[in-house]
Amino acid sequence: MTSPNAVPDRMLTRIGGLLRKAEATDNEHEAEAFLAAAQRLATRSSIDLAVARAHVAGRERRPTPVQRVIPIGEPGKKGLRTYVQLFVAIAHANDVRCDVARTSTQVYAYGFDTDIDTCEALYASLLVQMVRASDHYIKSGQYRTATVEKIVSEKRWGRTVRRRVQAPAAPVTARLNFQMAFAARIGRRLAEVKSEVEAEAVAPETATGTALALRDKELELTDFYGRTSEARGTWRGPQASAGHSAAARRAGDRAGQAARLGTSPELGGARGQLTSGAGG
């Protein structure tokens, strides 16, 4: 049985190998398979550790959830909310809860060390792919066909009349919409893999102890988050600050579906006020 105290170096190395293979292929179906394999490995490892923790005697040192600060970017940098959205989507698929600094410069992750390690590994790879894909979309000029809905006011016979019109999307708006759709698609892909693996793990023909261990893990994390989090309010993501561009979101969704993974540079940030994010 996997030791609940084991540092997941071997697991993370295997995930890293899958990410490098995904980066090396130009075949979107192979890239999809490598990403699914990375998440499947992470979920199975998480389940094994949850079962192992359930068997640790009370007198032994039993791992417990922790809080970790995840740097997202420097204050004032554009696009931080979509970066946060990507991390939160990955966290949701890996049993990690999140609070978000009001400035979106940092995320406060709550979960077991092994699960947070997995989130950081996946985020580091997917962030660069998201940024590269959106850069390519803007530089290609495809965004010029994207539009956003705006409300304009006109004077008619002494009255002010408001109507909705479609206007060309600015590059920054197109980029934000592209990245929002990319992050949302990645979140759905990872969540689907997690659901499949967990369903296999708690199937009727397998031991019921796995289901109980996963339930205990969820309760322990919920209790820890409730006692530790100082967040006020709910993080609503980048949608509130960006106009809606259907064309840019379709392009981002396609890129998220065919994402190849890369390596992320380190990003710095400062502690700010928190709001509660999705996760676990």
Side-chain angles (χ1 to χ4, degrees), residues 114-269:
T114 50
D115 294 331
I116 300 177
D117 287 343
T118 297
C119 291
E120 290 195 278
L122 290 171
Y123 174 72
S125 294
L126 284 163
L127 176 62
V128 166
Q129 181 61 26
M130 182 176 77
V131 172
R132 286 176 178 169
S134 61
D135 283 346
H136 176 76
Y137 174 67
I138 298 301
K139 290 177 181 178
S140 71
Q142 297 177 54
Y143 78 92
R144 295 190 180 95
T145 63
T147 60
V148 293
E149 187 177 83
K150 292 185 176 181
I151 298 177
V152 298
S153 298
E154 299 176 341
K155 288 288 187 180
R156 293 183 182 178
W157 307 103
R159 298 175 55 192
T160 299
V161 179
R162 295 181 178 180
R163 62 188 180 91
R164 298 177 184 274
V165 299
Q166 293 294 320
V172 65
T173 301
R175 184 187 299 275
L176 287 174
N177 277 265
F178 184 101
Q179 292 184 354
M180 282 190 284
F182 183 102
R185 171 59 68 177
I186 290 297
R188 289 194 293 272
R189 287 171 62 185
L190 298 183
E192 288 171 3
V193 174
K194 178 191 178 186
S195 295
E196 292 171 2
V197 175
E198 288 189 342
E200 294 170 2
V202 299
E205 60 270 19
T206 62
T208 58
T210 299
L212 292 175
L214 292 178
R215 178 59 177 166
D216 287 344
K217 176 186 177 183
E218 179 184 354
L219 291 174
E220 189 170 359
L221 179 56
T222 298
D223 178 67
F224 174 77
Y225 179 78
R227 288 184 288 103
T228 309
S229 173
E230 299 178 356
R232 298 293 181 269
T234 302
W235 186 72
R236 300 187 182 279
Q239 287 83 355
S241 63
H244 182 89
S245 172
R249 294 198 185 193
R250 285 194 297 270
D253 182 78
R254 288 193 298 270
Q257 181 63 45
R260 293 190 303 273
L261 310 181
T263 304
S264 172
E266 291 186 4
L267 301 170

